[in-house]
Each structure stands twice: as structure tokens, then as C-alpha cells.
């Protein structure tokens, strides 16, 4: 390959992959938060505590 193609790929690949990685990270963060909230609700119900749903 010529050097221009290598430079173009070195510039384009991170520009394309960064938004995909950001969306993936945000999705995992949302899943983690939902699991954590579900565990907290289950623990509170097992203790006999009333669970309030927080409107966000």
C-alpha cells in the first residue's frame, strides 16, 4: 500500500470506531444500572421494606 492510504486509514478508523465504542459503553452502563436497581429492590422486598419507585 502507498503511504497515503495508510495515513487515511489511520485517520478514518478511529473516527469510525469512537462513536461505536461510545454507544457500546453507554449501553453497558444502562444495563449495569438496571441490574443494580433490580437487586436493590429485591433486597428491600426480602427485608419487608416498601419500595418506592423514583421518577427520573
Amino acid at each position: 500500500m502507498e503511504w497515503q492510504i495508510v495515513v487515511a486509514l489511520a485517520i478514518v478508523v478511529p473516527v469510525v470506531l469512537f462513536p461505536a465504542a461510545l454507544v457500546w459503553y453507554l449501553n453497558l452502563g444502562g444495563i449495569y444500572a438496571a441490574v443494580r436497581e433490580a437487586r436493590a429492590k429485591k433486597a428491600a422486598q426480602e427485608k419487608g421494606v416498601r419500595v418506592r419507585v423514583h421518577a427520573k
Side-chain angles (χ1 to χ4, degrees):
M1 279 194 260
E2 293 191 25
W3 68 271
Q4 293 93 344
I5 295 173
V6 174
V7 170
L9 287 174
I11 293 171
V12 169
V13 168
V15 169
V16 171
L17 290 181
F18 180 73
L22 181 64
V23 169
W24 178 73
Y25 173 74
L26 292 174
N27 282 336
L28 285 180
I31 291 169
Y32 175 72
V35 168
R36 187 174 56 189
E37 184 178 334
R39 284 184 181 171
K41 281 184 185 179
K42 184 176 180 182
Q45 287 176 348
E46 288 176 356
K47 285 184 175 182
V49 177
R50 283 198 168 157
V51 179
R52 286 184 59 186
V53 178
H54 296 280
K56 292 183 180 181

